[in-house]
Amino acid sequence: MVKPVNDWKNRLGVVFSTNPDFEYQENNVEEAETLPPAKQRLIVGIDRRNRGGKQVTLVTGFVGKEADLKELGRTLKVRCGVGGAAKDGEITVQGDLRDKVTAILQEMGYNAKRGN
């Protein structure tokens, strides 16, 4: 899919320029290539902050593309039978499932350690 040249949504918050030669440059950040599971160093911890008293299992340390992170998060949620989310390099799984998530990740070949 080709992006339109005049995609105004990407320029929200940009101040108008009267210079006729001005060309808006977007900051395209490339995603890092996904490391193989054996080279990933994942930390499985628990988070209780800003969640209304609920506990979530938090998997941090994933290096790779957002699509691969979402796929790993989907696998963990299905295998644990709970909900959660995968974004910004972190996977959250509802509930205190640190031991189960660590065991699943190690079974899949990841270098996972249980944190706090």
Side-chain angles (χ1 to χ4, degrees):
M1 181 175 164
V2 178
K3 279 185 149 181
V5 175
N6 193 15
D7 191 9
W8 61 271
K9 290 181 183 177
N10 291 335
R11 295 191 313 256
L12 288 177
V14 175
V15 179
F16 180 76
S17 174
T18 57
N19 182 356
D21 298 327
F22 179 75
E23 191 82 26
Y24 179 71
Q25 302 292 324
E26 291 184 21
N27 293 335
N28 292 333
V29 179
E30 292 188 23
E31 292 183 283
E33 196 62 36
T34 303
L35 294 175
K39 298 209 180 217
Q40 297 274 4
R41 182 154 168 67
L42 304 179
I43 308 291
V44 181
I46 192 164
D47 190 20
R48 297 180 182 97
R49 283 178 265 153
N50 301 327
R51 306 203 188 269
K54 307 274 195 238
Q55 300 177 29
V56 294
T57 302
L58 192 64
V59 180
T60 57
F62 185 84
V63 177
K65 297 184 178 182
E66 194 72 23
D68 296 332
L69 176 73
K70 289 186 185 294
E71 184 61 36
L72 179 61
R74 183 178 302 117
T75 303
L76 290 176
K77 292 186 296 183
V78 168
R79 299 264 312 260
C80 293
V82 295
K87 59 184 174 187
D88 301 330
E90 295 181 340
I91 300 171
T92 57
V93 177
Q94 294 175 351
D96 184 4
L97 301 169
R98 290 175 286 182
D99 295 328
K100 190 172 186 178
V101 169
T102 304
I104 292 169
L105 288 171
Q106 288 174 346
E107 177 185 309
M108 294 172 71
Y110 286 93
N111 183 10
K113 283 187 140 182
R114 183 176 177 206
N116 56 346

